[in-house]
């Protein structure tokens, strides 16, 4: 049924963003007081970033390739000059490219790359797991930004064709910042990358200043659901789990398996969540949100009784790019509205 191809594609997106997984959500949120407007992650900071020297080429640098245990080992590459023709194989990478002001150098991306608006008109080279190598070759790129989902098949194929594929695989908020810095260095826009990272850090720290000091008793029991049939949540060592903690919540999935474990109805009831946050998976109607709001056996959980069942823009929390800060701010406001009035 519905959980067929659409879910598989969505789940693939989740798997990319989080390291072993990824997603994109929808949230009708207003601006966070004290925080920047959603979507403004790339807005330059009012404080000048540290001046970064120009890159000297040839530049030999390691990418974000991980081993089978998920440890970053890096694959060394040498660039003789700043790339001028970039192909992105992941929406998060596409958003990084635009955030760095390199949109005019992007010659190819995937069918999932829909932000910013200009990304939609770029030549498509397939989806995440359905990359069409012949289309990439035809674009004659001098930099291909891949994700770890491509490591087993696509990356070796591109390497065998002597194509410059560079893996970017962030799995935490800090990884996202480091990836932006890394891509900025490869493309010789280090000052811009430093500015983007500083702006993001300023916004992250603004949230943490209000939530990091919360005692355990004031941390809100939060359930994040990415699917409803069966209910699937976010386990430890996922990016979304990290967002819940930073936003001042305590994930009720703490202690569960890593990744995206399923959670039975009785377990949800037993967890007694004060807030439930759903992603936009399941189509525009967000079937997961409807499930939580309407499942009669969940009528007594605090989140239902207090009207605290929400939806967040999945692109803000699943794409490991500059807009992750929007996701953090949105979740912080949902979990602790009293702190962000």
């Amino acid at each position: 049924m519905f959980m067929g191809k659409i879910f598989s594609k969505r789940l693939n997106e989740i798997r990319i963003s989080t390291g072993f997984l990824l997603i994109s959500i929808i949230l009708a949120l207003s601006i966070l007081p004290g925080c920047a407007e959603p979507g403004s992650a790339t807005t330059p900071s009012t404080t000048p970033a540290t001046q970064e020297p120009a890159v000297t080429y040839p530049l030999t640098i390691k990418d974000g390739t991980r081993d089978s245990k998920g440890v970053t080992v890096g694959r060394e590459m040498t660039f003789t000059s700043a790339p001028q023709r970039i192909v992105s194989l992941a929406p998060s990478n596409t958003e990084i490219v635009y955030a760095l002001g390199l949109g005019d150098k992007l010659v190819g991306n995937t069918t999932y790359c829909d932000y910013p608006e200009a990304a939609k008109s770029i030549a498509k080279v397939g989806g995440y797991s359905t990359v069409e190598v012949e289309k990439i070759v035809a674009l004659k790129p001098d930099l291909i930004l891949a994700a770890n989902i491509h490591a087993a098949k696509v990356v070796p194929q591109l390497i065998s064709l002597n194509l410059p594929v560079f893996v970017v695989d962030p799995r935490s908020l800090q990884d996202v910042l480091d990836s932006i810095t890394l891509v900025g260095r490869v493309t010789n826009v280090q000052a811009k990358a430093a500015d983007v990272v500083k702006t993001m850090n300023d916004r992250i720290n603004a949230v943490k200043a209000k939530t990091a000091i919360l005692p355990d008793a004031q941390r809100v029991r939060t359930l994040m659901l990415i699917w409803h049939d069966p209910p699937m949540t976010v386990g430890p060592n996922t990016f979304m789990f990290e967002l819940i903690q930073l936003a001042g919540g305590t994930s009720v999935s703490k202690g569960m398996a890593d990744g995206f474990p399923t959670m039975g109805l009785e377990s949800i009831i037993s967890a007694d969540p004060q807030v439930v946050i759903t992603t936009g998976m399941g189509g525009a109607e967000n079937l997961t949100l409807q499930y939580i709001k309407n499942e009669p056996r969940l009528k007594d959980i605090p989140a239902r009784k207090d009207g605290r069942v929400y939806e967040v823009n999945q692109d803000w929390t699943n794409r490991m790019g500059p807009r992750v800060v929007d996701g953090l701010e949105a979740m912080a406001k949902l979990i602790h509205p009293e702190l962000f009035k």
Side-chain angles (χ1 to χ4, degrees):
M1 47 175 240
F2 199 87
M3 192 172 160
K5 292 183 178 179
I6 293 177
F7 179 61
S8 297
K9 289 181 179 179
R10 294 284 191 175
L11 194 55
N12 278 338
E13 187 172 334
I14 297 170
R15 285 179 171 135
I16 290 175
S17 299
T18 56
F20 28 36
L21 312 175
L22 70 96
I23 328 169
S24 296
I25 310 167
I26 303 167
L27 174 69
L29 265 188
S30 56
I31 301 171
L32 269 183
C35 299
E37 181 179 2
S40 60
T42 60
T43 302
S45 167
T46 53
T47 305
T50 303
Q51 291 296 315
E52 298 287 342
V55 174
T56 300
Y57 294 94
L59 170 69
T60 298
I61 192 169
K62 287 186 175 181
D63 69 1
T65 296
R66 296 178 187 268
D67 64 16
S68 59
K69 297 180 179 178
V71 177
T72 301
V73 292
R75 186 173 58 83
E76 197 168 81
M77 294 182 63
T78 297
F79 295 88
T80 56
S81 61
Q84 300 298 311
R85 295 181 62 81
I86 302 172
V87 169
S88 166
L89 304 185
S92 54
N93 291 343
T94 294
E95 294 192 19
I96 290 175
V97 168
Y98 278 100
L100 294 177
L102 299 169
D104 61 333
K105 301 184 188 310
L106 189 67
V107 296
N109 63 18
T110 76
T111 54
Y112 288 94
C113 296
D114 57 5
Y115 187 89
E117 186 68 22
K120 296 179 181 178
S121 59
I122 301 297
K124 304 302 176 185
V125 297
Y128 284 137
S129 57
T130 56
V131 172
E132 298 178 58
V133 173
E134 62 278 10
K135 288 187 176 180
I136 297 176
V137 173
L139 292 171
K140 300 179 180 178
D142 52 8
L143 174 62
I144 303 168
L145 294 174
N148 223 44
I149 193 176
H150 306 113
K153 183 178 178 181
V154 176
V155 170
Q157 196 173 357
L158 294 173
I159 291 174
S160 71
L161 295 172
N162 200 31
L163 292 172
V165 57
F166 194 84
V167 173
V168 178
D169 186 31
R171 300 188 180 187
S172 68
L173 204 51
Q174 185 58 52
D175 283 353
V176 173
L177 301 176
D178 291 344
S179 294
I180 292 170
T181 299
L182 185 64
V183 175
R185 189 174 179 209
V186 169
T187 53
N188 195 19
V189 290
Q190 291 191 108
K192 177 63 177 177
D195 202 25
V196 172
V197 167
K198 183 182 185 311
T199 300
M200 292 177 67
N201 257 327
D202 287 347
R203 294 172 62 186
I204 293 167
N205 290 333
V207 172
K208 290 169 66 175
K210 296 183 178 181
T211 61
I213 58 175
L214 292 172
D216 289 345
Q218 292 182 26
R219 289 189 166 270
V220 177
R221 294 189 305 279
T222 303
L223 168 64
M224 191 165 192
L225 280 185
I226 63 171
W227 189 247
H228 64 288
D229 186 19
M232 185 180 296
T233 186
V234 296
N237 294 332
T238 64
F239 177 63
M240 286 174 279
F241 186 94
E242 180 187 14
L243 287 184
I244 292 172
Q245 303 301 120
L246 290 174
T250 294
S251 177
V252 299
S253 61
K254 186 178 181 180
M256 297 182 69
D258 288 343
F260 296 85
T262 57
M263 194 169 185
L265 204 55
E266 291 303 320
S267 295
I268 293 177
I269 295 171
S270 175
D272 209 28
Q274 297 168 287
V275 166
V276 177
I277 297 175
T278 67
T279 73
M281 291 180 67
E285 64 272 38
N286 192 344
L287 297 179
T288 305
L289 178 69
Q290 298 308 317
Y291 169 77
I292 292 294
K293 283 189 170 182
N294 299 314
E295 167 55 55
R297 290 167 290 181
L298 295 177
K299 65 180 177 59
D300 291 327
I301 63 173
R304 271 275 293 271
K305 294 169 69 175
D306 297 335
R308 303 194 67 188
V309 178
Y310 306 114
E311 178 183 40
V312 175
N313 186 329
Q314 59 178 328
D315 291 346
W316 295 350
T317 58
N318 303 342
R319 293 185 180 181
M320 307 291 280
R323 290 193 294 165
V324 295
V325 181
D326 297 339
L328 173 62
E329 291 174 344
M331 290 178 63
K333 186 178 181 183
L334 292 176
I335 294 172
H336 283 288
E338 77 282 1
L339 298 179
F340 299 95
K341 292 179 180 177

